[in-house]
Amino acid sequence: MGLLSQGSPLSWEETRRHAEHVRKHGILQFLHIYRALRDRHKDVLKWGDEVEYMLVKFDHENKKVRLLLCGEEVLQTLQDKGEKVNPNHPTLWRPEYGSYMIEGTPGQPYGGTMSEFNTVQDNMRKRRQEAASVLKENEAVCTVTSFPRLGCPGFTLPECKPTPVEGGASKSLFFPDEAINKHPRFSTLTRNIRHRRGEKVVINVPIFKDKNTPSPFIETFPNDDGEAAKAAKPDYIYMDAMGFGMGNCCLQVTFQACSISEARYLYDQLATICPIVMALSAASPFYRGYVSDIDCRWGVISASVDDRTREERGLEPLKNNHYRISKSRYDSIDSYLSECGEKYNDIDLTIDKDIYEHLIKEGIDHLLAQHIAHLFIRDPLTLFEEKIHLDDANESDHFENIQSTNWQTMRFKPPPPNSDIGWRVEFRPMEVQLTDFENSAYVVFVVLLTRVILSYKLDFLIPLSKEGVFPGLIPVLNSYLENMEVDVDTRCTILNYLKLIKKRASGELMTVARWMREFIAKHPDYKQDSVITDEMNYSLIWKCNQIAQGQAECPELLGVGFNKKQSGNKTGSL
Ligand code: GLU
Ligand code: MG
């Protein structure tokens, strides 16, 4: 989830005092990178996926499933057994926000050849098996976007009670600080977002009104000091901590482009695809033990890291802050970056004018300068005492500090200094799916799309103020595939992936969100009151786990027959 510095984290008040310093040096660091690498060409197309996992433990006797707070130890073991002993190990493991989460990527990036699409699922399977192999009995690794009972009493193991008093990180009524990864970046982010905002974050998700759901749906919160009563809205599920958003899991893809201009073009083109692919990957209908009226996590994370003050949100006249800011740091992109996108930049962009002018003076073009000057309206949220004074020519921590806490649907990533990594873009909207098959399908679909966009010079751009129409991408992908040299086995794999995406798009197959809703609706304990009990949660996650392990079929979600990758079968028919 971004830059992981080690050291002594500063409080918000101390961090705030260094904000100008971080911005100033962040820009100098960016300029060093830009000057050194703007003309870098002929990097090859490389890409990689990131899958976020949750660790759970099943209690079959009491029919409960809980989130296991042992991500740090599991991560350590996985790294010790993997990348630390073998630089060519096929998997890499990284920490994530929740102490019940881990993130896995392939050991090496994938390259440009078509046959590599045929190895994605195997690598994901390896990751799942590797993680599972270091767990104990009744423990499992799950790719569920949002844990349905996240924030409900006793949802963690060991069980921890939230401490809603100042002094901790999130001050949440529901989400204990123990469920936050122990690396100081995560708790510091949590506390500093809250301190900068001046109050706890507020996440209100509409409740799904079923037959027996109280109307209006109003909750009372026993340990509330008044903040929750003020923030919670009738008919909404109220949440009050970063963990409700950043504690969700997603599926991301990062591409290395051949040059900076190709990266900027891909950034723009893929930006228009983000809402569509997010909808196709919808997998998170439940929050804090309730059935909600949304299917995707995005708005929840957006609110969960919204550090804007009341002034910045437009609720009070500007006095201590510089700008009104229309969105959270976690949101859709605000401006296109490539020349063909310029005419569509039709929303008001809040920028740091001094930074913009500085960048222009240094020869950065308007589109890139305004992009960076927009990201840099934000304050740094974490700063480590040991990392204040840096060598701007050879380090980029201050740039990365602001960059990596702008969590937009797409991220444009300059190369790190002194590395052989090129200009990259990150595709961030997708929800993680239950199985390696589905996750591979979504990843391959997006990567193929980039190939088609680049080969056919496709232009999907529309004004940023509008939602797009779905232009029918599968036919374009198919025609691209017909013109490519692809071995039969790989082609078969890809066609199966595209079939899944197509059927999800047409509604013939369910999204994970839809399937979960039906599972809960049909559960014998469900009282049509929008409540997900411990036992319902247990049966749902158990079923998800079985599907992911290939121990249960799920034709309504995956279709029939085509989700089994028959390794070794080189004669698959088309
Ligand atoms: N878990 C976050 C999500 O669901 C993403 C964190 C990251 O940027 O790695 O979108
Ligand atoms: Mg991540």
Side-chain angles (χ1 to χ4, degrees), residues 150-151 171-174 199-207 217 219-221 224-241 244 287-288 290:
L150 192 76
K171 207 185 154 208
S172 170
L173 297 173
F174 320 104
E199 61 192 14
K200 286 197 286 190
V201 293
V202 175
I203 310 161
N204 277 308
V205 170
I207 187 134
F217 169 82
E219 289 185 284
T220 48
F221 308 104
D224 178 26
D225 60 2
E227 214 175 326
K230 251 201 335 232
K233 297 203 282 186
D235 289 335
Y236 285 77
I237 306 161
Y238 166 69
M239 293 169 278
D240 65 349
F244 282 107
Y287 297 91
R288 240 192 75 236
Y290 293 111

Side-chain angles (χ1 to χ4, degrees), residues 87-110:
N88 296 320
H89 193 76
T91 65
L92 289 176
W93 294 98
R94 295 291 172 262
E96 250 309 330
Y97 181 86
S99 58
Y100 51 87
M101 289 166 82
I102 48 173
E103 178 180 293
T105 66
Q108 316 290 333
Y110 296 108

Side-chain angles (χ1 to χ4, degrees), residues 410-423:
M410 294 296 303
R411 189 178 276 156
F412 171 70
K413 298 169 88 166
N418 309 318
S419 78
D420 57 2
I421 299 174
W423 296 88

Side-chain angles (χ1 to χ4, degrees), residues 40-45 256-263 423 454:
R40 184 167 157 157
H41 261 82
K42 299 260 182 307
D43 277 317
V44 289
L45 191 73
Q256 173 178 279
C258 297
S259 63
I260 182 171
S261 65
E262 187 179 284
W423 296 88
L454 292 176

Side-chain angles (χ1 to χ4, degrees), residues 105-117:
T105 66
Q108 316 290 333
Y110 296 108
T113 58
M114 298 293 286
S115 59
E116 291 184 62
F117 290 131

Side-chain angles (χ1 to χ4, degrees), residues 93 220 270 291 322 414:
W93 294 98
T220 48
L270 288 175
V291 181
H322 295 303

Side-chain angles (χ1 to χ4, degrees), residues 244-502:
F244 282 107
M246 279 296 185
N248 294 331
C249 291
C250 70
L251 175 66
Q252 294 168 339
V253 193
T254 299
F255 306 92
Q256 173 178 279
C258 297
S259 63
I260 182 171
S261 65
E262 187 179 284
R264 292 169 67 166
Y265 173 62
L266 271 183
Y267 174 93
D268 286 3
Q269 298 301 329
L270 288 175
T272 60
I273 306 297
C274 285
I276 297 166
V277 183
M278 177 157 67
L280 279 176
S281 69
S284 45
F286 309 136
Y287 297 91
R288 240 192 75 236
Y290 293 111
V291 181
S292 83
D293 213 12
I294 62 170
D295 274 355
C296 292
R297 78 203 188 290
W298 194 268
V300 176
I301 312 192
S302 178
S304 83
V305 291
D306 190 355
D307 69 328
R308 292 172 303 159
T309 63
R310 292 180 64 79
E311 293 180 18
E312 287 168 337
R313 280 178 281 143
L315 302 173
E316 282 172 18
L318 280 177
K319 201 170 111 219
N320 300 313
N321 294 119
H322 295 303
Y323 327 93
R324 289 247 194 278
I325 303 180
S326 61
K327 289 179 182 174
S328 159
R329 308 166 80 112
Y330 205 109
D331 221 301
S332 48
I333 66 151
D334 290 314
S335 68
Y336 290 122
L337 265 181
S338 66
E339 267 165 41
C340 57
E342 182 156 20
K343 57 180 174 300
Y344 296 118
N345 278 336
D346 66 341
I347 52 179
D348 260 344
L349 200 63
T350 312
I351 58 169
D352 182 317
K353 290 212 172 56
D354 293 342
I355 289 182
Y356 174 78
E357 271 152 32
H358 180 193
L359 291 167
I360 293 286
K361 211 173 86 225
E362 295 292 336
I364 308 282
D365 61 277
H366 163 68
L367 288 173
L368 185 54
Q370 72 168 9
H371 168 76
I372 301 288
H374 176 57
L375 300 184
F376 273 66
I377 59 172
R378 310 287 176 173
D379 277 337
L381 289 173
T382 57
L383 192 61
F384 292 86
E385 204 176 305
E386 298 80 359
K387 289 273 187 181
I388 297 175
H389 299 287
L390 301 175
D391 169 5
D392 291 336
N394 292 298
E395 288 176 281
S396 63
D397 287 36
H398 290 326
F399 173 72
E400 284 299 332
N401 190 328
I402 307 284
Q403 155 96 337
S404 73
T405 50
N406 271 280
W407 295 279
Q408 299 186 333
T409 36
M410 294 296 303
R411 189 178 276 156
F412 171 70
K413 298 169 88 166
N418 309 318
S419 78
D420 57 2
I421 299 174
W423 296 88
R424 291 151 302 154
V425 291
E426 190 178 2
F427 185 80
R428 307 172 41 81
M430 288 189 287
E431 313 233 308
V432 77
Q433 309 293 298
L434 298 184
T435 63
D436 299 326
F437 164 66
E438 295 159 279
N439 287 318
S440 306
Y442 281 81
V443 164
V444 167
F445 172 69
V446 174
V447 181
L448 266 178
L449 210 53
T450 63
R451 303 290 167 85
V452 168
I453 289 169
L454 292 176
S455 312
Y456 294 170
K457 305 254 171 324
L458 295 184
D459 190 352
F460 296 142
L461 298 192
I462 50 160
L464 277 171
S465 53
K466 299 213 168 41
E467 267 291 306
V469 285
F470 192 30
L473 297 171
I474 301 272
V476 195
L477 294 187
N478 279 331
S479 95
Y480 173 78
L481 284 172
E482 274 163 29
N483 294 319
M484 292 300 287
E485 288 265 326
V486 196
D487 67 86
V488 176
D489 197 43
T490 305
R491 187 180 293 257
C492 206
T493 305
I494 295 175
L495 290 182
N496 274 339
Y497 292 159
L498 295 185
K499 205 149 80 184
L500 176 83
I501 304 290
K502 189 173 159 188

